[in-house]
Amino acid sequence: MYSASDRMQAVTLFVGAMAASSAIELPTKFRWATRENHIFQIERLILSAPRAAAIGVIVAVMVAVFAYISGRATIVWWAALVGTLIVFVNHIGGQYIWSHDLTLPSLNYVDSISGGVALGALGATAQRKLLPMFGFALGGCSAFVAGDLTGGIDLFGRNPLSGPSSAGWTPVEEPPIWLLAAALLLIAACTWRARPDFAAEPTAIPVLPPIIAAVAVALGALFSAEWLAGRNPGPVEIGIAVLGTVVPAMIAATLLPGRDGSGLLMVVGIAAAAGAVGVSPQPEWIVPVLIILAGVGLVVGARRPSVWISAGMTLAVAVFTASTAASYGGGRTVVLLGGAVLAFAVGHLCASARPQQVPSGVLLIAALALPTCVTAIRTSDRAGYPNDPRAAFAAAPSLAAGAIILCCMAGVALLHSRRPALSR
């Protein structure tokens, strides 16, 4: 049914997109940096990670636009190879270069930007081939579930909000070296085999609208999260942060062609729900289980496409976490169940969205790496803020996530009412 080249390309896009998306979203680790003598750089790394992710998302869409309209498969694969190679070298340097002259935030920006180059180029190579598109979408979803739904950002040897452990600063390598090496080898093989007949047909797609859309949704998410993180989480402040997230996302959705913006809006909602679920130490086997659930969601979404199904599941997660916040507040069971539902939902959404143009699809996957203001809400039951008199009540993150999801669903309804569905 599928040619050998399609199967190889699908595997390459899965591994490459997972590595690139992880590089955009998650801060890397550096062996020479320790909590005792580099606390300032570590704090700067934590603060710079959301900004680096936002820049990486914008770069990914820019590369996807120009890579796709170039119509040259060889150039596109070389861009993906160079981007992945820089991420690989950056991680090797962090492991084996013992130098205090290299700053953690600077190398993390390099990581996110290079990951954005790789992700945008890989998305352009997927074209309209079903199996490669499946591999690319599953790779992006896998990075999301491994990072956002399992506490993958383990900066202090435990989960990111639990404080230092006795083992000191022993962060998890994201993406791991072995994954980067596999992606590098597979992309190199596809680059070597690239031929003109694999190239995307030059298409008259607008250049600026998808890039402006990426800038709008990325900066809206970033500024809302940073603005809320520096203030007491009262209802007014949370409401402003919700509007600061949703309004730019709606503007971005209108800039994308057809109904492509509906997928982007619900990605913002899913990210908010993931922030409400929170993080808790999970067994290692949960990562492949969540990836499988995302893959099942992709298959089901391809056969029964409906953005409303994934939207309803996402809203249900927010309601569930709000109802259990007072008694369980981010416990392992809540994180496990909520993460499982969101893993399926994000896969179903990516298959249901079916964007018309390649840059829209890349933005849909890349936006999973964006920060959300929900994680910036301090609650007294969350680790890291015990008995904080300025902290919000336990259900505040879930209620904020629910508000974001409802606003995004309203935006989807408005978009669907104004733009007809394409016949496929």
Side-chain angles (χ1 to χ4, degrees):
M1 183 178 180
Y2 297 104
S3 65
S5 63
D6 283 348
R7 290 194 294 269
M8 180 178 180
Q9 189 173 352
V11 173
T12 301
L13 291 177
F14 165 68
V15 177
M18 185 175 182
S21 296
S22 298
I24 293 174
E25 179 180 7
L26 302 175
T28 185
K29 75 174 182 179
F30 301 91
R31 176 181 294 180
W32 50 261
T34 60
R35 169 179 286 276
E36 288 74 18
N37 55 12
H38 289 283
I39 184 65
F40 178 67
Q41 286 201 48
I42 294 172
E43 293 297 331
R44 288 180 59 204
L45 171 64
I46 296 173
L47 293 174
S48 68
R51 302 177 187 180
I55 295 174
V57 170
I58 297 172
V59 169
V61 176
M62 292 177 63
V63 170
V65 170
F66 293 107
Y68 187 72
I69 64 178
S70 71
R72 299 289 301 276
T74 304
I75 295 177
V76 175
W77 278 112
W78 270 106
L81 180 63
V82 170
T84 307
L85 178 61
I86 295 175
V87 175
F88 181 76
V89 172
N90 197 44
H91 281 238
I92 292 293
Q95 290 293 301
Y96 299 106
I97 297 177
W98 295 69
S99 172
H100 294 185
D101 296 331
L102 301 176
T103 64
L104 293 172
S106 298
L107 292 182
N108 194 56
Y109 279 116
V110 172
D111 214 43
S112 294
I113 293 172
S114 303
V117 171
L119 186 67
L122 290 171
T125 65
Q127 306 172 41
R128 293 294 173 185
K129 297 180 180 179
L130 182 60
L131 193 60
M133 289 174 62
F134 178 88
F136 178 74
L138 182 58
C141 293
S142 299
F144 171 75
V145 301
D148 284 45
L149 302 181
T150 61
I153 307 178
D154 190 4
L155 290 178
F156 301 115
R158 293 165 63 189
N159 78 64
L161 298 179
S162 63
S165 67
S166 58
W169 191 57
T170 54
V172 174
E173 176 73 1
E174 296 289 354
I177 291 293
W178 64 264
L179 181 64
L180 287 172
L184 196 59
L185 291 175
L186 288 169
I187 294 173
C190 287
T191 303
W192 177 262
R193 296 180 57 182
R195 297 292 184 271
D197 56 352
F198 293 148
E201 291 295 331
T203 306
I205 63 173
V207 174
L208 287 181
I211 296 176
I212 297 175
V215 172
V217 70
L219 294 186
L222 175 64
F223 289 156
S224 297
E226 289 193 340
W227 182 86
L228 188 60
R231 285 168 171 78
N232 297 336
V236 175
E237 290 76 15
I238 293 175
I240 293 174
V242 168
L243 290 177
T245 299
V246 172
V247 172
M250 289 184 175
I251 294 174
T254 61
L255 292 172
L256 299 179
R259 294 184 172 183
D260 288 6
S262 60
L264 176 63
L265 284 170
M266 288 319 306
V267 161
V268 173
I270 287 178
V277 169
V279 294
S280 178
Q282 298 291 335
E284 294 181 356
W285 55 262
I286 196 61
V287 174
V289 170
L290 293 178
I291 292 176
I292 291 173
L293 285 174
V296 173
L298 279 167
V299 174
V300 175
R303 297 190 175 186
R304 295 289 186 271
S306 174
V307 176
W308 296 112
I309 294 177
S310 51
M313 296 176 70
T314 305
L315 183 60
V317 170
V319 173
F320 171 67
T321 56
S323 62
T324 59
S327 54
Y328 296 102
R332 175 172 293 187
T333 302
V334 173
V335 174
L336 184 62
L337 293 176
V341 174
L342 287 180
F344 180 89
V346 72
H348 190 279
L349 172 65
C350 290
S352 300
R354 299 187 178 187
Q356 297 180 29
Q357 296 179 353
V358 168
S360 300
V362 171
L363 178 56
L364 176 67
I365 296 298
L368 291 170
L370 289 174
T372 175
C373 65
V374 175
T375 57
I377 300 176
R378 298 173 295 180
T379 61
S380 57
D381 65 313
R382 285 192 174 187
Y385 307 108
N387 304 317
D388 188 344
R390 300 172 299 173
F393 59 98
S398 299
L399 295 179
I404 291 175
I405 295 167
L406 288 174
C407 290
C408 289
M409 292 173 69
V412 171
L414 181 62
L415 193 67
H416 285 196
S417 67
R418 294 180 175 273
R419 298 182 179 179
L422 291 178
S423 58
R424 298 187 183 271

